[in-house]
Amino acid sequence: MSGHSKWNNIKRKKEKTDSQRAKIFTKIGREIAVAVKEGGSGDPNVNSRLKDVIAKAKQNNVPNDNIERIIKKASGEGNSDNFESIQYEGYGPCGVAVIVETLTDNRNRTAGDLRHYFDKFGGNLGTPGCVSFMFQKKGVLVIEKEGREEDQVMEDALEAGASDFQADEDVFEIQTEPEDFSGVRDDLAAKGYGFVSAEVEQVPDTYSRIEDADLAVKMGKLLEMLEDNDDVQAVWHNWENPDEDEA
């Protein structure tokens, strides 16, 4: 995503209510549990996926006690949680492309919920592959500009293995190839950088605008419903400047 629209999305996330933050904690907890099970270890030093999710948890202010408790539970033999990762794809109003990443223990429930949301707000749930070709997976790290020299940040990012660097009004956005993401993040963290956001994202190749105000409201509500669903881990879309369209 472009630096500007990305930063707007982050600002909206930072303004979440207590109940929304609790939901984020629950979703990240589910992601930690799956990482432990699929990686075969509760030790982030040998389970790289778990290491990445723990970094994401800390970035979202999940308490260390919560993280350790989830890892311990997921590592136990009596843990019967059985979540599977399913990606759904569809279209919002005006053909906006939407990718929804889920972790679910009931795929029929999740598919039914998502189909209902898309139908209710003027879109439709599509078939696998219908929009994913319009996105590329990229590691995206966002650093606040305040007190940082652009040339130095760019040099450090490129030395760490970044593939792209952008400066916005408020932030620096660094992109990496997915396989390089963890290494770049760790190198920059070791140099004292903190991140507003740092994760592997689905970045659209092109963007769609919604000129009709009513349809823009519907698109915003669709995204809210998707993000609020307990089974949904992430929602990616190619709606350009949603804040401006909703205004």
Side-chain angles (χ1 to χ4, degrees):
M1 306 178 82
S2 67
H4 179 66
S5 61
K6 172 64 183 173
W7 179 232
N8 284 339
N9 288 340
I10 292 168
K11 283 193 287 189
R12 287 203 300 275
K13 290 177 183 176
K14 289 174 75 174
E15 294 162 1
K16 287 187 181 296
T17 64
D18 288 344
S19 63
Q20 288 172 317
R21 280 194 289 271
K23 192 176 286 286
I24 290 171
F25 286 8
T26 300
K27 291 185 178 190
I28 292 177
R30 185 178 292 190
E31 202 170 342
I32 290 172
V34 169
V36 171
K37 277 201 164 186
E38 294 188 354
S41 173
D43 182 357
N45 293 315
V46 298
N47 185 339
S48 60
R49 181 177 175 187
L50 176 59
K51 182 180 179 181
D52 287 345
V53 181
I54 289 174
K56 178 180 176 181
K58 290 183 175 179
Q59 174 196 312
N60 282 275
N61 301 313
V62 179
N64 286 333
D65 288 348
N66 291 35
I67 296 171
E68 291 169 7
R69 185 166 61 250
I70 295 163
I71 292 173
K72 185 175 181 180
K73 179 184 176 185
S75 301
E77 293 182 7
N79 181 31
S80 58
D81 291 340
N82 189 24
F83 296 106
E84 59 178 327
S85 176
I86 306 175
Q87 177 171 293
Y88 296 90
E89 302 176 32
Y91 299 92
C94 297
V96 171
V98 183
I99 295 176
V100 186
E101 296 176 359
T102 70
L103 286 175
T104 179
D105 56 359
N106 185 330
R107 60 166 58 206
N108 290 332
R109 177 194 67 223
T110 304
D113 287 347
L114 267 54
R115 186 172 292 107
H116 171 68
Y117 302 154
F118 276 95
D119 290 346
K120 182 176 182 179
F121 296 110
N124 62 283
L125 189 63
T127 56
C130 69
V131 302
S132 56
F133 69 93
M134 293 188 272
F135 294 75
Q136 295 184 54
K137 281 196 172 183
K138 296 282 185 181
V140 180
L141 304 102
V142 180
I143 297 171
E144 289 198 65
K145 260 190 173 182
E146 189 175 353
R148 301 276 187 190
E149 290 291 334
E150 180 175 336
D151 288 346
Q152 185 61 57
V153 178
M154 180 167 63
E155 181 180 335
D156 288 342
L158 296 176
E159 280 184 359
S163 59
D164 194 18
F165 178 90
Q166 297 178 37
D168 182 39
E169 183 179 342
D170 301 303
V171 299
F172 300 114
E173 183 180 297
I174 298 160
Q175 289 193 359
T176 77
E177 295 305 314
E179 61 272 16
D180 299 330
F181 168 73
S182 298
V184 173
R185 181 199 61 215
D186 291 350
D187 282 359
L188 291 175
K191 291 180 178 178
Y193 288 97
F195 307 106
V196 179
S197 174
E199 59 184 307
V200 175
E201 303 186 357
Q202 302 263 19
V203 181
D205 294 323
T206 59
Y207 292 83
S208 296
R209 291 194 69 92
I210 300 177
E211 305 296 344
D212 184 290
D214 291 337
L215 292 179
V217 170
K218 284 189 173 184
M219 185 67 211
K221 288 181 177 178
L222 170 59
L223 295 178
E224 286 178 14
M225 291 294 290
L226 290 170
E227 291 171 352
D228 199 46
N229 185 285
D230 289 342
D231 296 335
V232 173
Q233 295 297 116
V235 181
W236 312 108
H237 59 83
N238 71 341
W239 182 16
E240 184 178 8
N241 296 330
D243 283 345
E244 178 185 323
D245 286 344
E246 287 180 287

